[in-house]
Amino acid sequence: MASDRTDKDGAAKERARAGSTALTRGPRVRLDQPRPQRRRLLPDYDPEAFGRLSERVARFLGTGRFIVLMTLVIILWVIWNITVPKALRFDEYPFIFLTLALSLQASYAAPLILLAQNRQDDRDRVTQEQERTQNERSIADTEYLTREIAALRMGLGEVATRDWLRSELQDLMKDLGEQRERLAEDARPERDESDR
């Protein structure tokens, strides 16, 4: 009896294992939990932080302070390697190490400057898109207000003004006066006949 139970449990476990691997083809994935981080050969870095650093470097490379500092370093380098005793010199006359250092600095400065320019282009593109959207909204608002003002003008053209009302009332007063006179004239002959 115990062996039957273990056989049934073992068979159920085997079916469950076979069913889960047949459906998922690998370890079970849980959607309510973040994926475990994969190991990478290269270290992770924050692209925004790297971009900000490249902009700072590019800004510094474009200043007069950098040019002055670079000039002073080169002058001191050359003076040191010409005037001090041979035992203390680290770069003899063709200044190969200085050339290498300047080439290395230029090879890093150019991509950093390009990266900073690309980030600035992206910011400019976003700003232009926002300005374009704002301009479209302003144009739509202006057109709407223009239509509303035109509708108001047309509506005001049909509204009775004070002068028009006065002229209409004066015409009505004249008409009423004329009708009163006619009625008075019509009533006089009847009185004249009744007096006879």
Side-chain angles (χ1 to χ4, degrees):
M1 194 178 236
S3 66
D4 287 342
R5 193 178 298 161
T6 56
D7 288 342
K8 287 179 184 176
D9 289 340
K13 286 180 184 177
E14 191 64 37
R15 279 193 305 261
R17 218 177 294 129
S20 69
T21 56
L23 294 175
T24 59
R25 304 252 188 240
R28 190 169 177 180
V29 177
R30 298 222 18 202
L31 297 176
D32 62 338
Q33 294 178 353
R35 284 185 172 176
Q37 290 185 353
R38 291 186 287 169
R39 291 190 174 195
R40 297 181 182 176
L41 296 175
L42 299 174
D44 283 339
Y45 69 95
D46 182 16
E48 280 299 310
F50 189 73
R52 287 191 298 270
L53 176 69
S54 69
E55 286 177 341
R56 286 185 195 148
V57 170
R59 266 190 222 109
F60 177 69
L61 292 178
T63 61
R65 178 183 294 165
F66 172 74
I67 294 173
V68 169
L69 288 174
M70 187 76 144
T71 304
L72 288 176
V73 166
I74 292 172
I75 289 171
L76 290 174
W77 186 297
V78 170
I79 289 174
W80 179 271
N81 287 303
I82 290 176
T83 58
V84 296
K86 282 195 182 238
L88 296 175
R89 294 180 189 171
F90 56 88
D91 193 15
E92 291 292 328
Y93 165 64
F95 305 117
I96 295 172
F97 188 51
L98 176 64
T99 305
L100 178 67
L102 292 176
S103 297
L104 184 66
Q105 181 264 332
S107 67
Y108 274 98
L112 288 175
I113 290 170
L114 287 175
L115 180 61
Q117 285 177 345
N118 289 342
R119 286 175 53 91
Q120 184 63 42
D121 289 343
D122 291 342
R123 276 194 300 270
D124 290 344
R125 191 175 308 112
V126 168
T127 303
Q128 287 174 353
E129 189 63 35
Q130 289 173 347
E131 287 175 356
R132 185 178 302 118
T133 305
Q134 181 66 33
N135 288 341
E136 288 172 358
R137 261 188 258 140
S138 297
I139 289 170
D141 290 344
T142 304
E143 289 174 354
Y144 172 75
L145 290 174
T146 303
R147 285 192 301 272
E148 288 296 314
I149 289 172
L152 285 173
R153 283 186 179 166
M154 290 172 62
L156 283 176
E158 297 172 5
V159 172
T161 61
R162 188 181 337 164
D163 295 335
W164 183 81
L165 284 175
R166 281 184 186 162
S167 66
E168 288 296 314
L169 286 174
Q170 287 172 356
D171 291 343
L172 282 175
M173 295 289 285
K174 284 179 188 176
D175 289 344
L176 286 174
E178 289 173 1
Q179 285 180 359
R180 186 182 288 170
E181 287 176 8
R182 267 189 254 134
L183 286 174
E185 287 176 8
D186 289 342
R188 275 188 208 154
E190 292 175 6
R191 283 185 192 167
D192 290 339
E193 289 175 11
S194 63
D195 286 340
R196 288 184 190 166

